[in-house]
């Protein structure tokens, strides 16, 4: 019997192993609003409790409208929410006006009154170029609104808008000039509150405790909150990152259940996040866009990097308390914005179209960078491709199965003990040779470089960083020491430009031993993730360069890390090679530095489903180059799910498959011949549309308009589209609908607009403005080309996008009811910055009156450099042309070519035939016309 | 010579055609291409494989100017053949260009192996065919490397053929041996079955006889008791007067008491263990969901009996001293763990998984422990410092348990191996078996089994059955039935004979069942894998030793701990792969499993072990058992072909 204890123990252990769902999202590990004093406090305030009024309103020497906010002297406001604030000093309010109708509102403590500390304002996000577009105010006019006792000051905005500062009650809003209709406003509900910094008094307990962690909070409470109203709005969207719907559900107000938490913006590494949650994930963008049928879109952006919580109020939230005088006849969505620290630095965007709002927002925070062509193709990733043999094996299997891919990724275990910039000598003895071998086939590699630096004195990065004092400090001013992948780690202080520059140098070929020009970088864990920190991140009282507390800039840390890495790659290539850096954490401006993905998702249908609103939201907030891990990071997708994910993921702007180390291998060929074929087909679809995608990336780069778009961005007047986040537009020409259920038989698709849509598979036309029920085909998700558009494609497949450079184009012309169509094509060298000097081709195609014309869409004199290509058009497919012509005439060559019937996509055996102009072989860069005879 | 000239001529034509094709691709006018096409049939047949050549030539020589796609879906004119525009969905109009995405391009690769490329490789700037024929648009210049590359390939092929040639011989011998051995074993089996029948009869007779004797003895005893009682009663009166003899008796009683005491001690100990066990049971009941706790109960039941069994064996032999410390050690660990659980509280009220338990603790963990703990969520690894003790205990536990469980099985094989060896003395691989099944991996339990197998050799002695039969006959002759009082020596003889015979019988039966079990296995189409039975093949990779025992199991040994990678499942992929399934469960993953790919080689040797997917292992085993003749022929044909297709240019060099 002596063995029994042994056995019992064994059994117990087995039991622990067997238990289902050993891990899942740990709600308790993260603070909710009630556990977050500033949030709880702000949320409990009642409308109208703000007692500030604007005084001393004037135009400053800098051409701004300035004013002081002071409490109303008359203490008739007996709201218990506003205790007697002895410390209350006047706040300084500044309104600045910029081109394109942008109004900026800043509210901060008066520096002349010597507050205990200068509050943190986020640098390095707003473009200098934007600042240079400031309009210097010359004068302001005053008027009385409604029955106000005091005046309101009015300034003119670009376009037909006006900015209004209402003195008493204090309120700032933007309105249309002619009719006085409000667009958006701040403090209309009187929820504005600003906790001013003060000296600590005897008996003040400023510490905050959460679980085993204590936040010393040496500067005490300093939160800011206010309400923002979007007028004429049916929906609001934006403020990523949350795994939830595109149109944000109300979090407060009557009938709100389940969503009682506000949307949280606090960059966190959340293990196995769940879908349908307002919980904050890896990145934060405090930018909200509204949209309504009546007026259009507007946007509000608060540049603030501290923890933020945002409530969206449901209709009737303030019923019975509506002391505020607001136009009642208008539809409106009220929101409450709360932040732990920082200043008010808010931007009002007037729209009026959705694309206008994004253009305005990205004029402040920057347009998305132009990616390298290869990075818009397919990426293959796994934690971990173990060794060089594994890499070669996977690489050759892609060739064996004729599946193209462009990039192979290496996760943390390629390094020597998770010391980034190093290689495991046993597993990767010849990294350069390995990269060169892949590069010979036009392929690239990506290695991971995370911000946690292993505290190992023999590790040169650690040595330099600790010797030079480059690490973030803890509250007692020692190098902060946290736990992450590399064990005991410290984090370089990327807020300091000097340290960023040092970091950037680490990417030079000389410093990053084993790197080659075909190697690019992945930044993970940059929230930053600290396994043993509060909420798995850095303590808020950690200290950055200049004595800034981590709480003040938490959400921007990952952005700086991404920026430093991206700059490193630019430096590495002497400014000639566009960087590619994928980041998990993000902040406004991230779009200038690279791509992001939605982090550690799960192989579940619901995660496939939620990927679409998540990516659409990122696009709306400037980050157009984004994707979700195809297949789901955690867990093992059933083949059906994996195939559907590939079919949908092929339309993600960033298209990468990734998997956790515990999952079964899931390279495309591992699920039987049929599934291999389906996945190959999905990946081929992406390669076929690469010219179109690249053109869209350029559009994003020029205007901010995202690559994938909510339907309402293209059909802003169709209410039916407002809550639709199952389908999306790729550019203005393609509509894609995911299939989100197992063994789906049918898919219901709403096709918006008045024009028809052509099924990408069958070429059949379907009426717009209608919901259609389609059979769910195994071989693709429903996708349609909008009538009236021309899409450039490359129908030949290669090993990678690199070999497609000289392949000929196919143009697919989908005619609308007036037999017209338009489209564009952008081409450049795909990798350098020469396009910035005009070295690109931008064509505009127009079909009307039976004639296709290609003309130059690039502005004349766009720079001295030229890009040229010998590429031709091998095929033009005409959808929706009823008479059957036999030939076409090419001008100016005055040459006849045949018109015959051909398939819509050549690789499908029995697809129906459409009119095809065979081998016109016109050069893509030339002006020409082709007349149907 | 004639042939050579012709090839040279074709070659020239080919070169011309390349020039023309380049021209054709660059040219904008279709007519130029058409004209070029008409000029040269060879151009039109670019990328066509030999078996398709006739198809295209036939089409080109036919009077009609239109051709049907191979799938019949579409028609195209001769000018559209290889004109760099895809007309046929099945790619049959573009065998030589990249225009059709699903086409194939045939490179002749004279001097090397001909190859069909995906059309996506044609003119993509990368040299794929060693003859360079896939890159003809002038973007890159591909040198012809076929002869050099072919030389290497041919050498490799030659070596492979040599291996196969020898391998085939070895395999044939294996097949012969296997057939003989199986026949022998089948014969033995039927013989044994016969003997079993006879022996069974004898044992039954003996048992009957024994029972009769016992009955008689019982009767005698009762009689005696009765007599004793009577005698006692009569003596009782006298007894009182003779109380002096007591002292002697009491010392006897003391001895008895001590004995009892010992037994009680044992009982107490075991009841303590039982109590602990019960406690754990209760906990488990709370902790687990119904299904898992059921599993556990079952497991428990099994292991309990094993444990008892083990203890029994140990008692028979003597190396208790070796075993005990380990047990105490693990007992200690278990108790510690138990304490840990109870101290930390709520072990069962949550869902009971480790994570939850740890989670509850995390507030009190050191920063470092917390970091490790959280990291472990992503990795599914154990968190070292916190659970180090626990996991080491577990490992040990695991190890011992496993040894218990498999020790038994191994020893079964041991005995079989002993016999096996008699059959196949010439087979050198038996050394491996000795290593594999020797004492090294089951130190505590093996001695007892060893002793058992030491008994074994008396089994196959030829005349043993007759001997038994004889002696039984003797017994029956000698013993007069129903004799009272029972002849003590006769009774002892019967008992001894019975015990011996039934022991023999059970050994016989176990041999029958093991033989039956063995012969039930699938040893391959020609029983070529027969010799794998009872063998294990090892491979060392860093700190792990992988052990593959066909028809049994695969495991990974690291120091003293063994992880089961799977139990024998079957051959698959027409005997090219061995599959082991349902190994130990992986944390957060599937049950471990292993596939062993078989390659032709002269020795049985595990050449590589890999874990391509977490907990799914893949090994390569080279063995003569798969060196089949057909494949050898195939390889020889391939070599012949390669030798034949030497490029003429090579001769000229």
């Amino acid at each position: 019997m002596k063995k029994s204890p042994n056995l019992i123990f064994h059994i117990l252990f087995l039991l622990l192993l067997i238990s289902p769902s050993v891990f899942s999202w740990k709600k308790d590990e993260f603070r909710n609003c009630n556990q977050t004093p500033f949030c709880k406090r702000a949320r409990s305030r009642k409308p109208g409790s703000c007692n500030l009024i604007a005084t001393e309103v004037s135009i400053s020497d800098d051409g701004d409208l300035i004013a002081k906010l002071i409490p109303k002297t008359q203490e008739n406001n007996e709201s218990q929410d506003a205790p007697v604030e002895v410390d209350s000093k006047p706040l300084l309010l500044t309104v600045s006006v910029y081109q394109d109708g942008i109004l900026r509102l800043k509210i901060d403590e008066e520096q002349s009154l010597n507050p205990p500390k200068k509050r943190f304002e986020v640098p390095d996000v707003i473009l200098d170029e934007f600042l240079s577009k400031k309009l210097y105010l010359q004068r302001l006019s005053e008027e009385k609104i409604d029955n106000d006792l005091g005046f309101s000051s009015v300034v003119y905005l670009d376009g037909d808008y006006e900015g209004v500062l209402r003195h008493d009650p204090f309120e700032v809003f933007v309105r249309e000039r002619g009719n006085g209709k409000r667009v958006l406003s701040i403090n209309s509900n009187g929820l504005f509150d600003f906790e001013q910094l003060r000296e600590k008094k005897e008996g003040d307990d400023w510490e905050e405790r959460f679980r085993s962690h204590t936040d010393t909070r040496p500067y005490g409470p300093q939160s800011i909150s206010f309400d923002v109203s979007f007028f004429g709005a049916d929906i609001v969207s934006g403020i990523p990152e949350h795994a939830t719907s595109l149109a944000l559900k109300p979090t407060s107000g009557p009938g709100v259940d389940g969503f009682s938490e506000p949307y949280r913006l606090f960059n966190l590494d959340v293990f196995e996040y769940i879908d349908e949650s307002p919980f904050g994930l890896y990145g934060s963008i405090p930018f909200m866009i509204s949209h309504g049928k009546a007026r259009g879109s507007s946007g509000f952006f608060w540049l603030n990097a501290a923890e933020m919580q945002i409530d969206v109020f449901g209709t009737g939230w303030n019923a019975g308390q509506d002391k505020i005088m607001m136009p009642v006849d208008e539809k409106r969505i009220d929101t409450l914005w709360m932040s732990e620290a920082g200043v008010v630095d808010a931007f009002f965007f007037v729209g009026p179209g959705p694309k206008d709002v994004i253009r305005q927002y990205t004029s402040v925070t920057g347009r998305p960078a132009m990616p390298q062509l290869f990075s818009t193709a397919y990426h293959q990733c796994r934690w971990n491709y173990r060794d060089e043999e594994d890499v070669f094996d996977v690489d050759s299997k892609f060739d064996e199965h004729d599946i193209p891919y462009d990039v192979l990724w290496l996760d943390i275990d390629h390094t020597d003990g998770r010391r980034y910039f190093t290689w495991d000598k046993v597993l990767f003895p010849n990294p350069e040779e390995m990269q060169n071998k892949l590069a010979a086939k036009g392929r690239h590699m990506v290695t991971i470089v995370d911000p946690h630096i292993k505290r190992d004195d023999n590790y040169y990065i650690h040595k330099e960083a600790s010797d030079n004092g480059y690490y973030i400090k803890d509250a007692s001013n020692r190098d902060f020491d946290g736990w992450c992948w590399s064990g005991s780690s410290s984090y370089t202080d990327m807020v300091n430009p000097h340290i960023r520059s040092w970091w950037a140098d680490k990417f030079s070929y000389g410093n990053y031993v084993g790197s080659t020009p075909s190697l690019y970088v992945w930044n993970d864990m940059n929230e930053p993730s600290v396994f043993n920190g509060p909420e798995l991140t850095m303590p808020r009282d950690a200290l950055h360069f200049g004595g800034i507390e981590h709480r003040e800039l938490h959400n921007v840390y990952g952005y700086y890390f991404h920026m430093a890495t991206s700059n490193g790659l630019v430096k590495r290539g002497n400014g000639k090679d566009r960087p590619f850096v994928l980041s998990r954490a993000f902040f406004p401006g991230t779009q200038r530095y690279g791509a992001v993905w939605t982090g550690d998702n799960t192989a579940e249908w619901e995660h496939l489903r939620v990927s679409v609103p998540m990516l659409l939201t990122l696009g709306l907030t400037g980050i157009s180059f984004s994707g979700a891990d195809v297949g789901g990071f955690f867990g093992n997708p059933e083949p059906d799910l994996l195939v559907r994910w590939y079919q949908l993921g092929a339309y993600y702007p960033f298209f990468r498959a990734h998997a956790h180390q515990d999952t079964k291998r899931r390279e495309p060929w591992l699920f039987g011949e049929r599934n291999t074929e389906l996945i190959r087909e999905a990946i081929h679809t992406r390669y076929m549309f690469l010219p179109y995608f690249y053109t869209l990336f350029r559009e994003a780069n020029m205007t901010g308009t995202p690559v994938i778009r909510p339907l309402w961005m293209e059909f802003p007047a169709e209410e039916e589209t407002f809550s639709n986040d199952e389908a999306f537009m790729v550019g203005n020409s393609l509509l894609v609908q995911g299939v989100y259920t197992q063994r789906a038989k049918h898919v219901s698709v709403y096709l918006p607009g008045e024009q028809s849509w052509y099924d990408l598979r069958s070429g059949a036309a379907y009426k717009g403005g209608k919901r259609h029920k389609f059979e769910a085909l195994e071989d693709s998700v429903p996708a349609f080309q909008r009538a009236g558009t021309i899409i450039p494609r490359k129908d030949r497949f290669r090993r990678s996008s690199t070999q497609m450079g000289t392949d000929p184009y196919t143009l697919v012309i989908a005619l609308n009811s007036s037999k017209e169509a338009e489209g564009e094509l952008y081409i450049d060298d795909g990798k350098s910055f020469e396009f910035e000097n005009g070295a690109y081709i931008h064509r505009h195609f127009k079909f009307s009156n039976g004639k296709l014309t290609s003309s130059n869409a690039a502005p004349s004199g766009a720079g001295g450099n030229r890009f040229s290509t010998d590429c031709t058009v091998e095929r033009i497919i005409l959808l929706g042309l009823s008479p059957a012509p036999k030939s076409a005439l090419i001008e100016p060559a005055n040459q006849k070519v045949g018109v015959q019937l051909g398939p819509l996509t050549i690789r499908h055996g029995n697809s129906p035939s459409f009119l095809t102009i065979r081998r016109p072989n016109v050069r893509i860069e030339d002006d020409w016309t082709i007349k149907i005879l | 010579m004639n042939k050579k000239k012709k090839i040279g001529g074709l070659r020239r034509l080919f070169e011309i055609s390349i020039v023309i094709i380049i021209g054709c691709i660059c040219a904008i006018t279709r007519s130029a291409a058409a004209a070029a096409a008409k000029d040269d049939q060879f151009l039109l047949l670019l990328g066509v494989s030999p078996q398709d050549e006739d198809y295209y030539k036939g089409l080109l020589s036919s009077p009609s100017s239109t051709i049907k796609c191979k799938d019949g879906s579409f028609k195209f004119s001769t000018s559209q053949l290889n004109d760099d525009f895809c007309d046929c969905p099945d790619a049959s109009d573009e065998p030589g260009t990249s225009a059709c995405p699903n086409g194939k391009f045939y490179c002749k690769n004279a001097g090397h192996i001909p190859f069909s490329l995906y059309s996506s490789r044609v003119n993509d700037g990368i040299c794929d065919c060693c003859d360079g024929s896939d890159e003809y648009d002038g973007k890159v210049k591909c040198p012809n490397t076929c002869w050099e590359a072919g030389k290497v390939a041919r050498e490799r092929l030659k070596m492979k053929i040599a291996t196969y040639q020898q391998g085939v011989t070895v395999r044939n011998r294996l097949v012969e041996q296997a057939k003989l051995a199986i026949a022998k074993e089948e014969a033995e089996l039927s013989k044994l079955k016969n003997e079993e029948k006879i022996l069974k009869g004898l044992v039954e007779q003996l048992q009957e006889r024994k029972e009769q004797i016992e009955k008689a003895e019982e009767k005698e005893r009762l009689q005696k008791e009765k007599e004793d009682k009577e005698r006692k009663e009569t003596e009782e009166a006298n007894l009182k007067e003779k109380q002096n003899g007591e002292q002697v008796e009491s010392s006897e009683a003391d001895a008895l008491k001590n004995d009892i005491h010992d037994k009680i001690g044992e009982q107490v100990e075991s009841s303590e263990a039982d109590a602990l066990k019960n406690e754990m049971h209760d906990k488990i009941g709370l902790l687990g969901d119904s299904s898992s706790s059921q599993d556990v109960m079952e497991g428990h039941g099994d292991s309990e009996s094993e444990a008892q069994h083990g203890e029994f064996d140990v008692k028979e032999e003597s190396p208790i001293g070796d075993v005990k410390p380990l047990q105490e050690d693990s007992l200690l660990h278990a108790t510690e763990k138990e304490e840990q659980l109870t101290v930390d509280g709520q072990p069962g009220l949550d869902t009971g998984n480790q994570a939850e338990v740890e989670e509850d603790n995390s507030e009190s963990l050191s920063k470092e422990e917390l970091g490790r703990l959280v990291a472990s969520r992503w990795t599914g690894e154990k968190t070292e410092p916190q659970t180090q003790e626990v996991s080491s205990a577990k490992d040990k536990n695991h190890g011992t348990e496993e040894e218990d469980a498999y020790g038994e099985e191994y020893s079964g094989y041991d005995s079989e191996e002993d016999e096996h060896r008699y059959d196949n003395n010439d087979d050198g691989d038996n050394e491996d078996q000795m290593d594999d099944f020797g004492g090294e991996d089951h130190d505590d339990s093996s001695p007892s089994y060893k002793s058992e197998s030491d008994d074994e050799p008396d089994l196959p002695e030829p005349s043993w059955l007759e001997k038994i039969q004889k002696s039984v006959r003797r017994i029956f002759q000698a013993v007069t039935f129903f004799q009272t009082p029972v002849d003590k020596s006769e009774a002892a003889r019967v008992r001894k004979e019975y015990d011996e015979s039934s022991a023999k019988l059970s050994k016989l039966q176990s041999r029958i069942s093991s033989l039956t079990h063995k012969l039930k296995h699938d040893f391959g189409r020609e029983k070529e894998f027969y010799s794998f039975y009872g063998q294990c093949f090892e491979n060392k990779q860093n700190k792990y030793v992988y052990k593959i025992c066909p028809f049994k199991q695969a495991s990974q040994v690291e120091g003293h701990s063994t992880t089961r990678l799977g139990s024998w499942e079957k051959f698959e992929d027409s005997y090219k792969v061995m599959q082991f399934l349902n190994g130990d469960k992986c944390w957060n993953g599937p049950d471990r499993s292993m596939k062993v790919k078989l390659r032709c080689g002269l020795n049985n040797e595990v050449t590589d072990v890999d874990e391509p997917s977490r907990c799914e292992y893949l090994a390569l085993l080279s063995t003569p058992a798969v060196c089949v003749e057909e494949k050898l022929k195939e390889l020889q044909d391939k070599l012949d072909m390669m030798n034949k297709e030497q490029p003429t240019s090579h001769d000229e060099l």
Side-chain angles (χ1 to χ4, degrees), chain B residues 154-411:
Chain B
R154 277 189 300 276
E155 284 312 308
R156 217 179 291 142
L157 192 56
K158 275 181 198 157
M159 277 167 67
K160 201 169 171 184
I161 286 170
T163 308
Y164 260 87
Q165 278 164 338
Q166 285 185 59
V168 165
T169 318
V170 179
R171 184 180 183 274
N172 288 340
R173 204 167 66 223
L174 281 176
V175 168
E176 277 317 299
Q177 282 167 356
K179 277 181 184 149
L180 284 177
I182 288 170
K184 205 169 160 193
E185 278 173 342
E186 274 165 353
E188 188 194 343
L189 187 60
S190 73
K191 189 175 140 232
L192 288 175
K193 276 183 177 162
N194 249 337
E195 289 171 355
E196 186 204 11
K197 223 189 205 162
I198 297 166
L199 190 56
K200 224 178 183 170
L202 286 176
V203 168
E204 271 162 20
Q205 280 179 334
L206 281 168
Q207 190 174 4
E208 207 176 292
R209 177 66 190 132
K210 198 180 108 200
E211 276 163 10
Q212 283 166 352
I213 289 173
E214 273 161 6
K215 234 182 213 162
E217 279 177 342
E218 177 72 4
K219 209 168 152 195
E220 235 178 75
R221 193 180 60 82
L222 287 174
Q223 178 72 32
K224 207 178 162 199
E225 253 176 36
K226 203 178 162 192
E227 284 168 12
D228 281 356
K229 208 180 170 189
E230 283 166 1
R231 207 184 319 135
K232 243 187 195 164
E233 277 166 14
T234 53
E235 280 175 11
E236 211 152 63
N238 309 337
L239 202 70
K240 278 178 189 168
E241 295 159 26
K242 303 180 187 173
Q243 281 178 344
N244 295 348
E246 229 183 45
Q247 275 175 345
V248 185
E249 268 179 39
S250 85
S251 75
E252 269 175 24
D254 271 351
L256 187 68
K257 221 193 283 172
N258 282 341
D259 206 328
I260 288 169
H261 200 82
D262 282 349
K263 277 203 180 120
I264 288 171
E266 257 181 51
Q267 264 172 13
V268 168
E269 208 177 291
S270 77
S271 73
E272 263 172 17
D274 274 343
L276 186 64
K277 198 166 66 189
N278 286 338
E279 207 179 316
M280 294 310 271
H281 261 293
D282 292 343
K283 281 216 176 101
I284 287 158
L286 276 171
L287 285 168
D289 58 17
S290 58
S291 70
S292 63
S293 73
Q294 202 180 350
D295 287 345
V296 168
M297 297 293 254
E298 277 170 26
H300 190 135
D302 288 344
S303 344
E304 195 179 6
S305 64
E306 275 159 25
Q308 279 170 346
H309 186 74
E311 202 186 356
F312 178 70
D313 288 331
V314 165
K315 264 189 189 159
E316 275 191 351
E317 291 294 318
S318 57
I320 289 176
D322 291 337
V323 180
K324 221 174 181 175
L326 180 66
Q327 287 173 341
E328 276 172 5
D329 198 31
S330 35
L331 176 68
L332 198 70
H333 278 298
T335 332
E336 268 171 25
K337 171 69 181 174
E338 231 230 316
E339 270 168 24
Q340 209 176 328
L341 280 175
T342 25
V343 170
D344 296 338
Q346 321 147 0
L349 298 174
D350 287 317
T351 45
N353 58 50
Q354 193 176 24
E356 292 282 348
V357 175
E358 282 168 357
E359 150 82 15
D360 291 329
N361 296 341
S362 62
E363 300 259 356
S364 58
L365 294 176
S366 77
K367 282 273 162 72
E368 187 178 319
E369 285 165 345
L370 183 67
R372 283 183 202 272
L373 173 66
V374 173
S376 75
R377 285 186 204 155
W378 274 269
T379 58
E381 282 159 11
K382 292 156 288 184
T383 58
E384 281 151 37
Q386 198 215 351
T387 49
Q388 201 164 35
E389 200 167 54
V390 171
S391 64
S392 71
K394 176 213 68 181
D395 282 345
K396 257 182 210 163
N397 226 332
H398 199 73
T400 7
E401 222 249 340
E402 213 153 2
E403 279 154 23
D404 289 340
Y406 303 121
E408 193 174 13
E409 274 178 55
Y410 282 148
S411 76

Side-chain angles (χ1 to χ4, degrees), chain B residues 51-63:
Chain B
Q51 59 261 43
D52 284 342
E53 241 166 65
D54 289 347
Y55 173 82
Y56 287 99
K57 279 182 181 157
L59 293 173
L60 289 172
S61 57
S62 85

Side-chain angles (χ1 to χ4, degrees), chain A residues 608 611 615 626-628 630 645 648-655 686 693:
Chain A
L608 170 63
S611 70
L615 300 181
S626 66
V630 169
W645 213 317
L648 187 69
Y651 295 101
Y652 289 166
F654 174 62
F655 180 26
R686 171 54 164 246
F693 268 94

Side-chain angles (χ1 to χ4, degrees), chain B residues 481-621:
Chain B
F481 294 98
F482 311 113
Q483 183 191 326
T484 325
V486 177
D487 181 334
K488 288 261 164 73
S489 71
E490 276 307 318
R493 258 178 73 193
V494 169
R495 274 198 199 96
K496 187 170 167 265
E497 207 60 54
Y498 170 76
D499 288 347
E500 277 173 11
S501 302
S502 56
K504 286 255 152 71
L505 177 62
S506 70
K507 251 170 210 169
L508 194 65
Q509 282 168 333
S510 86
R511 174 69 179 149
I512 288 172
S513 93
S514 75
L515 266 180
T516 316
H517 176 73
K518 179 177 178 182
L519 291 172
K520 246 193 285 177
H521 280 112
D522 173 8
F523 292 124
R525 286 196 198 95
E526 300 178 85
K527 315 286 178 207
E528 64 271 26
F529 297 108
Y530 174 80
S531 68
F532 277 15
Y533 191 80
Q535 288 206 59
C536 289
F537 312 109
E538 282 190 9
N539 180 280
K540 200 167 157 24
Q541 302 248 321
N542 302 324
K543 52 185 179 172
Y544 298 117
V545 176
Y546 291 91
K547 209 145 105 184
I548 297 163
C549 309
F551 305 108
K552 192 164 153 41
Q553 66 155 6
S555 54
Q556 178 195 55
V557 183
E558 183 193 7
H560 291 294
S561 87
T562 301
T563 308
R564 263 167 21 87
L565 303 183
S567 306
W568 171 258
E569 179 72 16
K570 60 173 188 213
F571 285 104
E572 56 176 24
D573 195 13
S574 25
Y575 297 96
K576 274 184 245 142
V577 172
M578 302 193 292
Q579 200 179 34
F580 297 86
L581 292 181
N582 302 316
D584 289 343
K585 184 156 177 64
C586 253
W587 180 271
N588 240 7
D591 288 347
R592 287 177 176 80
S593 64
M594 181 178 239
K595 276 189 179 180
V596 182
K597 286 191 178 169
L598 302 173
R599 297 275 162 83
C600 169
L602 295 182
N603 298 309
N604 291 331
E605 196 182 352
V606 182
T607 53
D608 192 23
V609 183
D610 199 5
E611 191 185 349
S613 193
R614 193 166 163 88
C615 304
E616 293 178 350
Y617 296 82
L618 182 68
L620 287 181
L621 174 65

